[in-house]
Amino acid sequence: MSVALLNEARRAVGISDELESLFYVIVYYGTQYLPSNCLDVGAYIEQLFDAHVVQNGRFESGAMKL
């Protein structure tokens, strides 16, 4: 789900939301299965996909998704 949809739950899903989701699917699988110099893939994925905060009732993604 895109960051914009998380912040505005009543908004209709648009092409930009779908493209953002597809981008992160490609990043996830590329990180998992392609050779890289990343020393701790699990920590990288956790920081990218799971890190978040809620401020003033709004969802804010982790620093790596800015």
Side-chain angles (χ1 to χ4, degrees):
M1 184 176 283
S2 72
V3 174
L5 282 177
L6 290 172
N7 286 330
E8 301 173 34
R10 296 177 190 236
R11 188 171 74 86
V13 176
I15 293 174
S16 61
D17 302 311
E18 297 292 350
L19 289 174
E20 181 181 346
S21 297
L22 176 62
F23 171 76
Y24 285 117
V25 168
I26 292 169
V27 168
Y28 176 82
Y29 280 104
T31 304
Q32 286 287 322
Y33 299 110
L34 294 175
S36 73
N37 61 354
C38 183
L39 299 176
D40 190 353
V41 173
Y44 174 79
I45 288 179
E46 182 177 346
Q47 289 174 350
L48 181 61
F49 293 103
D50 295 335
H52 70 281
V53 294
V54 178
Q55 293 181 347
N56 301 325
R58 291 192 57 158
F59 177 85
E60 302 287 334
S61 64
M64 293 182 70
K65 272 192 172 179
L66 295 178

